[in-house]
Amino acid sequence: MSHYFTNNENLVSETRELTYKYDSFSFTFLSDNGVFSKKYLDFGSRLLLETYLKNESEPLKVLDVGCGYGFIGSVISVVNNSYVDMIDVNKRAVHLTQMNIKNNKIKNAVCFESNIYESVEGLYDVVITNPPIRTGRETVLTFLRDSKKYLKPGGELWFVMRKDQGALTVAKKLEDLYKIEIIDKSKGFLIFKGI
Ligand SMILES: C[S@@+](CC[C@H](N)C(=O)[O-])C[C@H]1O[C@@H](n2cnc3c(N)ncnc32)[C@H](O)[C@@H]1O
């Protein structure tokens, strides 16, 4: 069975255009078969992004891990004038994000292929992620726990997870690394910030 996070180059391409507005900013995102939430912007991702933007307005250096077609990182880059790196293991997602950066004329963002943090170098102020629940608890924990190695002292980890997918148990497993707070919740989704 093929999941959105696997690379399936035989999957027929069927590009769609999704639109998004934040304040006075308008975006269009190309999406396609074989990537996460191809038909609409995911509710949890929107909640994460909008909660982050309500709380952070500084032009911080941000890493968007498992970026999909680049929704979260692209909007942060434009709205907060932030430098953003976006990474994903899915080649099609990386290609879409690179097109979305170009089409939205974003100057301070790049996207590259990386299996979790394998190709990441340097330190960030913020790691933000809607982690791939379907890859299993161990991968999700690696996404979240290993973020610490890529954060500057005092840096922040932001993530979204559904309560019924074990969000509170996962958050507990981060307490040796981070001071974890729930910043918002809606429709069963929790937004966490770890410092
Ligand atoms: C829940 S989706 C979120 C996508 C995007 N951030 C959004 O909000 O629309 C999780 C993403 O993680 C990516 N992913 C899964 N396993 C990965 C891995 N080992 N390394 C990097 N990215 C991975 C998937 O391809 C997918 O794009």
Side-chain angles (χ1 to χ4, degrees), residues 4-6 34-37 41-42 44-46 48 64-73 87-90 93 114-117 129-133 135 139 143:
Y4 62 78
F5 50 86
T6 56
V35 300
F36 173 76
S37 205
L41 297 166
D42 177 65
S45 300
R46 285 181 69 140
L48 174 62
D64 176 357
V65 187
C67 63
Y69 43 77
F71 167 54
I72 295 174
I87 55 171
D88 205 290
V89 75
N90 178 323
S114 182
N115 179 19
I116 319 190
Y117 298 97
T129 185
N130 177 356
I133 297 299
T135 55
T139 305
F143 260 62

Side-chain angles (χ1 to χ4, degrees), residues 67-70 86 93-102 111:
C67 63
Y69 43 77
M86 294 183 253
V94 170
H95 180 62
L96 286 165
T97 299
Q98 288 168 342
M99 287 199 292
N100 289 330
I101 288 172
K102 200 167 160 222
C111 179

